[in-house]
Amino acid sequence: MKTVQGKVAAITGAGSGIGRATAKLLARKGCHVAISDVNEKGLAETAEQCGSSGVKVLTARVDVANRGEVEAWAAQVARELGGVNIIINNAGVALGSTIEDMRYEDFEWLMNINFWGVVHGTKAFLPHLKAAGDGHIVNISSVFGLIGVPTQGAYNAAKFAVKGFTEALRQELEIEGLPIGVTSVHPGGIKTNIARNARMTPRKGWVDEESNSDFEKAFSTSPEQAAQNILQAILKNRRRQLIGADAVLIDLVQRALPTLYQSLLVAGARRRRQKLLNKAG
């Protein structure tokens, strides 16, 4: 895809963060946008900000965990905007918990959004991209789809799954010679509300009320920069897109030290755990 001008892009999780920033950037580039989220207030704000660019903006409250809702939305977008060229499966949530403490209900909640939401979006929109004859699928994984991290087992599981799913899809479409690009995106720490809105299972020495804010302190990349990277990945048809200097560093460490990195994380986590235990008394 050489340009997004005049194209149609559908974006999930567009009520804030990366989804909102990407919708705004695409709109400024002359791309019509169909945006969805369960956060209707945030969605309306995004729509207003996109509307000033003079492109068509279609909004819908969609729960990506619900296959029927996603399929109905895809049909609506194609019908009302005349087709679809880009789907960006961005909606995501977080869960802080050890695997031992993790409730099945929370694990399923996260997987239904972070993994099945990507599957639903991909499968619902793929026929419309094929019909358009020029398309791109962007699936948001994470640096936690490259490395495992203590208390992030559920998030790791979903994001590793997104990476594998996306890479397999890309290869299948290439084998068929279809003009549809596919990119697995791996953001590092992005300044969004995902950590603040995460579910948590408190456990002494592992997860406490400060865990979310501790994660946020490491977030260094703006949603706007992430959006620029995603746009470049589409235009350059990249297989994989790292976002942020931290993502680049983590990728290098994982490739250079594919098992030793775990020992480094364990050492750091032990120090933090001892600090939490000392604070708790």
Side-chain angles (χ1 to χ4, degrees):
M1 187 175 294
K2 303 301 182 183
T3 180
V4 296
Q5 185 172 9
K7 306 294 186 180
V8 175
I11 307 166
T12 68
S16 63
I18 294 175
R20 170 178 288 181
T22 304
K24 290 169 60 178
L25 176 60
L26 290 174
R28 288 198 303 271
K29 297 295 183 179
C31 183
H32 307 296
V33 292
I35 54 177
S36 72
D37 206 307
V38 294
N39 175 5
E40 295 181 272
K41 181 176 183 295
L43 193 62
E45 293 170 353
T46 302
E48 183 178 0
Q49 294 169 25
C50 291
S52 60
S53 299
V55 298
K56 297 176 183 177
V57 181
L58 182 67
T59 66
R61 186 194 184 284
V62 177
D63 178 1
V64 298
N66 186 312
R67 185 177 72 188
E69 288 189 16
V70 178
E71 290 174 345
W73 178 52
Q76 178 192 13
V77 174
R79 182 175 63 252
E80 297 191 18
L81 296 184
V84 192
N85 304 97
I86 302 166
I87 172 63
I88 301 175
N89 291 303
N90 163 76
V93 293
L95 170 63
S97 175
T98 65
I99 291 174
E100 180 181 3
D101 293 334
M102 190 187 304
R103 298 191 313 153
Y104 278 104
E105 296 88 343
D106 289 336
F107 197 175
E108 290 169 356
W109 164 76
L110 182 142
M111 291 297 292
N112 284 339
I113 296 169
N114 290 12
F115 176 62
W116 281 108
V118 170
V119 175
H120 295 157
T122 298
K123 287 181 66 62
F125 279 92
L126 181 55
H128 300 294
L129 269 59
K130 291 174 72 174
D134 182 25
H136 205 99
I137 297 169
V138 176
N139 291 336
I140 307 297
S141 178
S142 168
V143 290
F144 287 3
L146 303 175
I147 61 169
V149 180
T151 73
Q152 296 299 308
Y155 197 78
N156 285 144
K159 295 304 185 177
F160 269 79
V162 168
K163 176 179 181 291
F165 173 83
T166 304
E167 290 180 359
L169 173 66
R170 168 101 184 199
Q171 294 169 52
E172 290 171 359
L173 296 179
E174 286 182 341
I175 291 168
E176 292 190 51
L178 295 173
I180 300 172
V182 183
T183 303
S184 179
V185 177
H186 299 268
I190 310 297
K191 295 177 181 178
T192 70
N193 295 327
I194 189 168
R196 196 174 310 161
N197 296 332
R199 290 187 183 181
M200 295 172 54
T201 306
R203 182 180 183 183
K204 187 176 179 180
W206 285 99
V207 178
D208 66 6
E209 65 278 0
E210 296 182 9
S211 295
N212 288 357
S213 60
D214 287 345
F215 263 114
E216 286 187 336
K217 290 175 184 177
F219 294 175
S220 58
T221 304
S222 70
E224 290 71 26
Q225 182 58 55
Q228 289 283 353
N229 290 160
I230 289 169
L231 175 58
Q232 287 304 306
I234 294 171
L235 296 177
K236 295 181 181 297
N237 194 21
R238 292 173 180 158
R239 295 176 184 273
R240 187 177 72 160
Q241 178 67 53
L242 300 172
I243 298 180
D246 52 349
V248 174
L249 177 60
I250 288 170
D251 177 57
L252 287 173
V253 170
Q254 192 281 329
R255 284 192 285 161
L257 308 169
T259 57
L260 183 57
Y261 88 82
Q262 297 179 38
S263 298
L264 299 176
L265 285 178
V266 166
R270 279 177 173 161
R271 288 194 297 271
R272 182 179 184 278
R273 185 166 186 263
Q274 190 59 54
K275 180 181 177 182
L276 291 174
L277 289 171
N278 291 340
K279 183 180 69 172

